[in-house]
Structures are given as C-alpha cells and as structure tokens.
Amino acid sequence: MPPFTQPDAFTTRPTLEGTFGMAASTHWLASQSAQAVLERGGNAFDAAVAGAFVLHVVEPHLNGPGGDLVAIVAPSGEEPRVLMGQGPAPAGASAAAYRELGLGLVPGSGFLAAAVPGSVDAWMLLLKDRGTWELADVWEYAIGYARDGHPVAPAVVKTIGAVAGLFRTEWTSSADQWLVDGAAPVAGSIVRNEAWAHTLERLLAVGGAAATREDRIDAARGAWAGALVAQQVEEFVAGPVLDSSGARHSGVIAASDFAAFRAAWERPVSGTFRGRTVLKAGAWSQGPAFLQALAILDGFADDELDPSTAGGVHRIVEAQKLAFADRDAYYGDGVDVPIDHLLSEEYAAERRALIGSVASSQLRPGSVPGYGDRSLGEHPVVGATDAASASEATVAAAASGEPTLGVRGEARGDTCHIDVVDRWGNMIAATPSGGWLQSSPYIPSVGFALGTRLQMTRLEPGLPTTLTPGRRPRTTLTPTVLVQDGRPYAAFGSPGGDQQEQWQLPFLIRHVLGGYSLQAAIDAPSFHTTSLVSSFWPRDWEPAGLVVEDRLADDVIEELRRLGHRIDVVGGWTLGRLSAVSWSGGIVRAAANPRGMQGYAVGR
C-alpha cells in the first residue's frame, strides 16, 4: 500500500503523550479545568463534568445550560454507554400547532425552537453514576469564571457583534447581559455571568443537607426541574419575541416539561471498519450515518481512500451523501428505524455500487423492504415563505441559530467538544451544544438562554422527524469511541452540525489507514459536502456542493471539479474543530484543533 500523503512532519503541535491523564476541548480554560480535576485525584468523568460547565461559561456562543449533549462514556473494563442529554419537544410543541401559526419550518431562533434542556441534568447524572467528586467541587471552576469573570475570546465577541442590533432593539435582556455601552465587549476584557453563578450556588444549597453525595446530586437535579429553574423559564417565555421567521412568538415550554425529562444511559450503536469497532449514539442522532459511510468505504482498498487525493475525497464524499440521504429518510426518535438493515454488509455493498466516476447531485436514499417509498424528491426544502420573510427581518436572520460554520466556512455559531482520559483508562467523548447566546433571549433570573434544537424537526406529517410532543429532535451531536482488540482505544469528536461526521471521517481514515498521529490527523486539510439537506433552518442544500480547504493540492481540487463536484475553496485552516484522546498500553495521548486558536489539549 502506498503511504498516505501529509505525514506527521506537517503538524502544528505534537500529539501529547504521558501516563497520568489528558484532556482536550474546544477552549483552553475548559481543558485546563478538567486537567486540574485529574491532578487533584478525580477521574475522567469528574474532570469532564468540570470542563463542560466551564464551556458553558467561556463559550456561550457555542453552548449553554439551556442546551443539550451527547456523550459516549467508556469506563475502564466495562461496556461503553451513551449518555443521552437530548431533551424532547415540549408537550405544547406539535407540527399541527406550529402550522396553525402559519409556519412552514420551525424557526431557527427564538422560543418556539426550544427543546427541553438536557445538558445540565445529563452532566449531573454522569457525576452521580460514574464520578467520585462532590457537585460543589466540580462546579467550583465554572462558578468562579461566571461570578469573577474571564477574558472573553475573540470568537465570542464576533458573535455578540453580529447580533448586537437584535439585542438592542428586540432581545433587550440579552443586551443587558452581553453588550457594553450598547456594543460588543472588547476581546480579552473580563466578562461575567453572575446570574448563572448564582443559579449554580442555589442548586448546591438545595442538596446541602442530604446524607450522601448521590442524594445531594439528585436534590440539585430536582431543583433544576422545579421551581428554582424550570418555573422561571416558563414565566419568561410567555412574552413573545422576534425569531427567524420574522414574526414574534411566545414559547410553549413549561415547567412540567422539565419535570418529565431525565437524562439516561443507552447502549451505543456499533459498526466495524478494518476490524475495529466504532461506537455511536442511536438513530435519534446522526451517528449511524457515520457507521453507514464507513461500511460503504470498507469495501475499497486503503490507497483508494487517501483523503489527500481526488479519488479518496470523491469516494468519501459520495459515501457520505448516500448515508445522509438515508439519515433524512429513516432516522428519528420514536419511529421504527431499520438500523440492522442499514448497517448490514449486503446493504453497504448495494450502496457502494452507486458510487460512480461523477459526483452525484441527487438525494438517493436506499430502499428497505417493508418501509415503502422514502424518496426525498427533487426539491426537499419546504417553508420558503419562512425563509423569505426572515430575509426581510435582518435582525432575526442574524440570529438564525445555525449551530455550525456556514457552508463556505464563514463563522455563524458552533458547538463544543471535550474529551478526557485518565490513568486508569476511563475515557469520554462529549459534544455539548445549544442554548447559545444568539439562539434566544437571555433569561436573567437563571442566567442562560434556551436552545433551538427543534429546528431539526419537520412540520409535514408522517415523517420520521415530524415535530411531535415528547419526541427528541434528531440531533447532529455525534461523538465517537473507537474500540480495538476489545478495548476502547480512542475518543474523539467535533462541533459542526451536519459537518461533524464529515470532519471526523477523514480524521479516522488518516489515523487508522494512514498511520497519522492524532494531531496530524486533526491538522490535515479537511472538506465536507453540502449536497445534503441541512438539519438547520432554512433547510437548504447545494447539489454536488463540496467545500475544501485551500491546503488541498491544486491538482486535486481541479480533478474534483472535473469529476463534477461544485467546489468552494475556503481558507486553509477553516474546516473542522476536532479533539481526541486515546489510551493504549498505559500511555495516554491527546490532541486538539488549532483552527480558530481556541482548542487545546493538556496533560501529562
């Protein structure tokens, strides 16, 4: 097999190696907070919780307490599990009710798009079941940064600046929290979120008298879902606010929706690639699409999959198009998903045969016996009137809630990621998101904004993702754990909405087939297709669209154009937000994305 191109010599920084523990995330303060917990005797799960709550504070444009999370938790010597922190649609959120409001799409911002917040309860469940520390100790870092302040990152400032007009004229509670003299704060200046620090302290006080660590955590979970937080949210969303539809709507989320939800443990879905097992969340996420693409690609030779060659990019992208078409046709919560068939070798071979020498510009879901016609049609995007009206309401469009980079690399919003591994081999990959400062108005009584995950649902009846009370929206959050020789070996993931799987796939191929180190695989030039139906408002797509970093060789880019891909070339350090950790033979490793100059790995 010829060696893959772009060897380790071209990395921006080394893959960290040690024997004690490692943490990697999308912000250095979260990584270092997690590592501080490891240094003080905590395990990987204590550390992840501490780092995650810091992410709420220091990356408020990327995630928040009002959002959600998906994690894959791999305790040493035990079967990995999915930590499910994706809240469902509220009882008052239905496709019929939203259509009666004149909507064709769930708005991308504002109160109507809010699912039940799931991240805070999920992190507390992880700490209770797998951690060893007290809640007060893991929250110490986040409370400190929220109450006493932290230097605000340039990306946060950029996001605040983009929606400052909306804040000043419409979302005035957000203006009070995030603007300084009517404008975005200066990068590097100290910002605080004292209301959120106070909320965390009140949650701790509720459980202060409980007898055990677990009881104290459960008391805080109950207070979160009760009068202390949930009731405050219900009262705040009663007032209508401008959203991305161009109209003003009140929320439907209620305290009873908080009370009805609890984070939970689930079994991961698994696939194989070159003899390794790959673990993902179920088909209420987009995780199995990654497994489907790998199953298709597993039928090609190693040298046919080099992501630095035109042929490799072409095959990877075409496999992803097929997998994402199946995602849109079959995946959802509370519906019968033929996952065994979709992940079977026979079906993968059938789909592999569809990859030709020319880029596909069609949406081609496969046919599964007994599941009827799942064709997406030539024009799958509905709700054009919503998008048109939003374009007229520029302040609403500025806060459309897109939790990813723009399809051409322009910054809009994003998501977070954190990975931790400890000296005992415990490992976690977690992708928290939602509740961005730009997603809906800041709730001053509790210190956070709600998320917009319901924009991933549809308002047409009878679809796998039709907006239905009590059902989870099909999330794009999708961390990964890789198992080798029966033991979890690596944990990784990336922000990026529909691009999360797409940026992880060449990383995995380079690492597994090309022998790249974790850091080299992260640093290598990336790409993604836009020839899929976006999961986010206004649900657009670009047939045969392909976005590539300009560090991909010129002749490779030209060959991809010849193959029919409609190429958008973006900056060389634009696409991808990966971080990763691994454990092998007692050696721990970590790496983080240099793009955006926020992600860092730390450890020893």
Side-chain angles (χ1 to χ4, degrees), residues 46 49 53 120 123-125 127-128 132-141 143 200 203-204 207 213 216-221:
D46 299 315
V49 176
F53 277 88
V120 170
W123 288 123
M124 287 194 280
L125 175 63
L127 185 68
K128 174 188 173 184
T132 63
W133 274 30
E134 290 284 349
L135 195 56
D137 294 328
V138 296
W139 280 356
E140 172 188 343
Y141 305 89
I143 290 173
L200 291 176
L203 290 171
L204 291 174
R213 186 186 74 93
R216 288 187 282 277
I217 295 172
D218 278 339
R221 295 176 74 191

Side-chain angles (χ1 to χ4, degrees), residues 123-210:
W123 288 123
M124 287 194 280
L125 175 63
L126 174 64
L127 185 68
K128 174 188 173 184
D129 289 355
R130 290 296 180 181
T132 63
W133 274 30
E134 290 284 349
L135 195 56
D137 294 328
V138 296
W139 280 356
E140 172 188 343
Y141 305 89
I143 290 173
Y145 286 127
R147 183 186 58 229
D148 304 326
H150 66 280
V152 62
V156 181
V157 172
K158 183 177 180 180
T159 299
I160 294 173
V163 291
L166 173 69
F167 287 2
R168 287 191 296 265
T169 60
E170 297 285 345
W171 297 3
T172 55
S173 61
S174 297
D176 293 340
Q177 167 60 27
W178 299 114
L179 301 185
V180 179
D181 297 327
V186 175
S189 63
I190 297 296
V191 299
R192 297 174 175 84
N193 188 348
E194 295 177 69
W196 176 234
H198 186 47
T199 294
L200 291 176
E201 290 168 337
R202 286 185 295 164
L203 290 171
L204 291 174
V206 170

Side-chain angles (χ1 to χ4, degrees), residues 56 63-68 114-120 224 433-436 448-452:
H56 286 164
N63 79 139
D68 34 44
V116 179
S119 66
V120 170
W224 167 266
S433 187
W436 316 290
F448 60 84
L450 294 174
T452 58

